[in-house]
Amino acid sequence: MVMPRFVRPKEGDSESSPNLYVANCGPAVGLSFDTIASAFSSFGEVKGVYAADESGARVIVSFLEPASAHSAFIALNGRPCPHLGGRSLHIRHSILQPPSCREMASVPVSLNASDLNIPGLYLFHDFISVVEEGQLLQAVDTGSWISLSKRRVQHYGYKFCYDTRNVDTKQHLGALPSFVSFILERISLSPDIPETLDLDQLTVNEYPPGVGLSPHIDTHSAFEGLIFSLSLAGPCIMEFRRYTAGSWVPKTASISGMEVENPNSCSEVSGKAIYLPPRSMLLLSGEARCAWHHYIPHHKIDKVNETMIRRGSRRVSFTFRKVRRGPCQCEFPQYCDSQSQT
């Protein structure tokens, strides 16, 4: 989700702006955008109310005329608003900043993978039950977490090394845990999954509110062509980018586990997005796995078809992969580290 970006005006420009930044106000505190617009309309015509950030508790109120914004500022800043349940508002003037390259790539959020038209991308809703979800969460919560900079992880089968973005095949951690056996069986028996592999690596990620992943492609030489990701506990949006130029290789690797974005101009990238509800299984294969960067925006609230959805206290993902034993020979050499080295 991309929001209108507003910033503080330069000194002396406040009264020329029709926009107000209003804190302690928004869906997170029980106030809809329509309710807010109605309350501020007593000062003049309101063009729109927008989320100021991902918190859901700060909004931008945009008037048609700067004088209306200034009148609202004088009347309500630091004072209780009778039309908003007596809530005290904290207001400052704001101006619209021209959109950046990333913001211009905004796309609507789809609910089904088929709507995205990305070859090799599948989403299976309700892949597990609510009871099974609870059992999986209980199982990992009794295990040992590894703390990264903004999230926690667990590795099974093989440990993923964030500094090299690869795995050490000589350091086998053992078989995948028994509590995921039913998932592996369900994958192998599913008629909707085009092919299966003997999956031998599992990474469990726990994301606190507002934490996501930066754009990346899972290293080709590390894993085979199918990647399964099961979402638990909380929802999120996953976005996809296909670059028409440039290399798969990021500028730097990060030992914190937060991957680095491929630096390309917005004219060289196409973007798509999908909503991942709890208990859904995402499959990346073919072009979706090898040529599209995927990432999770760092939001606490996602906008899906005009509906604001809060991510919840945590989101846990189970990502299943097959460790590759030889070089990758895919049809996307510009994104393939195996082929870039030959």
Side-chain angles (χ1 to χ4, degrees):
M1 177 181 62
V2 176
M3 301 176 182
R5 186 173 297 278
F6 292 82
V7 296
R8 288 179 180 271
K10 295 180 180 179
E11 187 175 356
D13 291 342
S14 295
E15 296 184 19
S16 65
S17 173
N19 308 305
L20 295 177
Y21 172 96
V22 185
N24 198 27
C25 186
V29 296
L31 300 175
S32 69
F33 288 168
D34 289 342
T35 299
I36 297 168
S38 177
F40 278 82
S41 64
S42 60
F43 300 96
E45 183 176 350
V46 175
K47 291 172 56 179
V49 177
Y50 312 100
D53 53 30
E54 297 87 1
S55 70
R58 292 177 283 272
V59 299
I60 298 294
V61 178
S62 181
F63 286 93
L64 183 64
E65 299 292 340
S68 301
H70 187 62
S71 296
F73 175 82
I74 295 298
L76 297 178
N77 182 37
R79 301 176 182 178
C81 177
H83 300 293
L84 296 178
R87 182 172 293 277
S88 294
L89 306 179
H90 306 283
I91 305 174
R92 68 171 185 253
H93 289 278
S94 187
I95 60 173
L96 179 63
Q97 179 174 266
S100 67
C101 168
R102 181 180 297 181
E103 291 168 332
M104 289 189 288
S106 175
V107 293
V109 178
S110 299
L111 301 180
N112 299 293
S114 58
D115 296 336
L116 297 187
N117 196 29
I118 300 178
L121 181 68
Y122 303 88
L123 180 65
F124 306 101
H125 293 262
D126 297 313
F127 193 80
I128 63 171
S129 68
V130 173
V131 172
E132 291 168 335
E133 177 185 39
Q135 293 171 343
L136 290 172
L137 291 172
Q138 183 179 17
V140 295
D141 283 339
T142 60
S144 299
W145 293 96
I146 301 171
S147 295
L148 303 181
S149 63
K150 294 185 178 180
R151 68 185 196 276
R152 301 192 301 175
V153 300
Q154 294 181 17
H155 298 292
Y156 298 92
Y158 294 89
K159 181 179 179 180
F160 184 77
C161 302
Y162 293 100
D163 53 348
T164 63
R165 301 171 61 86
N166 213 315
V167 294
D168 185 350
T169 57
K170 297 180 181 179
Q171 296 187 10
H172 187 217
L173 303 178
L176 297 189
S178 59
F179 59 78
V180 299
S181 297
F182 78 97
I183 300 177
L184 300 177
E185 181 179 7
R186 196 164 297 173
I187 289 173
S188 66
L189 296 177
S190 175
D192 298 318
I193 296 176
E195 57 178 311
T196 59
L197 291 173
D198 183 17
L199 301 169
D200 59 6
Q201 197 275 334
L202 166 63
T203 296
V204 180
N205 283 279
E206 181 192 57
Y207 301 91
V211 174
L213 278 178
S214 297
H216 70 284
I217 296 176
D218 285 50
T219 309
H220 287 202
S221 64
F223 304 109
E224 295 284 354
L226 299 183
I227 296 176
F228 296 87
S229 183
L230 179 66
S231 294
L232 305 177
C236 76
I237 287 175
M238 180 171 284
E239 300 192 22
F240 298 87
R241 294 178 181 175
R242 177 70 192 270
Y243 294 93
T244 59
S247 166
W248 75 278
V249 182
K251 265 190 173 181
T252 61
S254 171
I255 60 174
S256 68
M258 304 303 292
E259 295 82 357
V260 181
E261 181 177 359
N262 187 321
N264 282 277
S265 70
C266 53
S267 63
E268 298 174 309
V269 62
S270 59
K272 302 185 180 186
I274 193 169
Y275 175 66
L276 302 181
R279 299 177 297 283
S280 65
M281 177 72 84
L282 182 73
L283 168 59
L284 302 178
S285 64
E287 181 179 320
R289 182 266 186 268
C290 294
W292 286 76
H293 287 68
H294 61 277
Y295 72 109
I296 301 172
H298 299 272
H299 295 163
K300 290 184 178 180
I301 296 178
D302 292 314
K303 185 177 180 182
V304 182
N305 296 335
E306 304 304 320
T307 299
M308 307 297 287
I309 299 178
R310 181 173 291 276
R311 288 194 180 173
S313 60
R314 71 192 298 211
R315 175 179 176 267
V316 178
S317 68
F318 282 50
T319 301
F320 297 88
R321 295 173 283 208
K322 170 67 175 178
V323 173
R324 190 183 293 277
R325 299 294 175 174
C328 177
Q329 297 178 338
C330 69
E331 57 183 295
F332 305 97
Q334 68 270 41
Y335 303 106
C336 183
D337 60 316
S338 291
Q339 298 180 62
S340 68
Q341 295 171 0
T342 59

